[in-house]
Amino acid sequence: MPPKLDPNEIAIVKLRAVGGEVGATSALAPKIGPLGLSPKKVGDDIAKGTADWKGLKVTVKLTIQNRKATVAVVPSAAALLIRALKEPSRDRKKEKNIKHNGDITFADVVAAAKVMRPRSMARHMRGTVKEILGTAQSIGCTIEGKHPHDVMEEIDNGEREVAAFDPPRETAA
């Protein structure tokens, strides 16, 4: 017989899910079944928690305590940029290899960098902005009509200023 679960113990499970969709319960079962949760119920919770990221693949952080799961969305840089493009939601099963060739503002890039700052490896905010610009280049969008690499060069040359930003640090509970 397995050991009795401690009700105060906090378990954290991270997984990738498509926003607004109920994932396959067969993929959830091995991860959360041993914790005493129903994969179908958790799948519905994930679908509700990721509703505003409809159609985008995002990382979901499940914090499980006392057999209750709370869903937190951890967006990737690409998901933040695609959301900033304000593209209409598409059917993933019918439309493949989508080009995201829209145009976003530099303020959108800085806003995405502020969200990504705690997970960035860059020492300064300008490095994080350049990481986001690299992602923008890979998904194929432009920044205020310019190629992302040109905006990176403007940051390096000092033509574009990036304000310092230190995010609040997450404390490990």
Side-chain angles (χ1 to χ4, degrees):
M1 196 164 118
K4 190 81 173 140
L5 290 174
D6 181 20
N8 297 325
E9 183 183 358
I10 299 172
I12 295 174
V13 179
K14 291 184 180 180
L15 52 109
R16 295 278 284 172
V18 178
E21 292 182 16
V22 178
T25 54
S26 59
L28 281 174
K31 293 181 179 90
I32 61 170
L35 300 171
L37 292 161
S38 162
K40 185 172 180 357
K41 185 176 170 294
V42 173
D44 293 339
D45 290 346
I46 290 172
K48 281 185 206 138
T50 59
D52 47 338
W53 295 89
K54 189 160 175 49
L56 296 175
K57 278 202 118 184
V58 290
T59 304
V60 177
K61 180 179 173 185
L62 294 171
T63 308
I64 300 161
Q65 183 176 18
N66 204 9
R67 294 190 61 196
K68 299 226 177 352
T70 54
V71 177
V73 177
V74 184
S76 65
L80 288 166
L81 290 175
I82 292 169
R83 191 177 190 191
L85 285 168
K86 296 177 183 70
E87 293 182 342
S89 60
R90 298 184 176 96
D91 187 5
R92 285 185 331 112
K93 293 176 177 67
K94 292 181 184 153
E95 296 181 47
K96 303 280 185 196
N97 302 326
I98 302 158
K99 293 277 182 243
H100 304 284
N101 54 1
D103 190 52
I104 58 175
T105 64
F106 188 69
D108 290 334
V109 173
V110 172
K114 284 182 179 179
V115 173
M116 292 298 291
R117 184 74 183 123
R119 292 180 282 151
S120 171
M121 292 293 159
R123 286 190 1 226
H124 304 289
M125 181 63 176
R126 50 187 292 226
T128 307
V129 169
K130 287 168 68 174
E131 286 177 2
I132 300 296
L133 287 169
T135 305
Q137 182 174 342
S138 69
I139 66 170
C141 65
T142 56
I143 286 72
E144 295 171 355
K146 296 180 183 173
H147 193 272
H149 205 282
D150 297 339
V151 179
M152 275 191 225
E153 288 175 0
E154 287 177 9
I155 292 171
D156 288 338
N157 298 339
E159 296 169 30
R160 223 180 253 263
E161 195 63 38
V162 178
F165 175 76
D166 285 318
R169 293 277 173 216
E170 288 185 24
T171 56

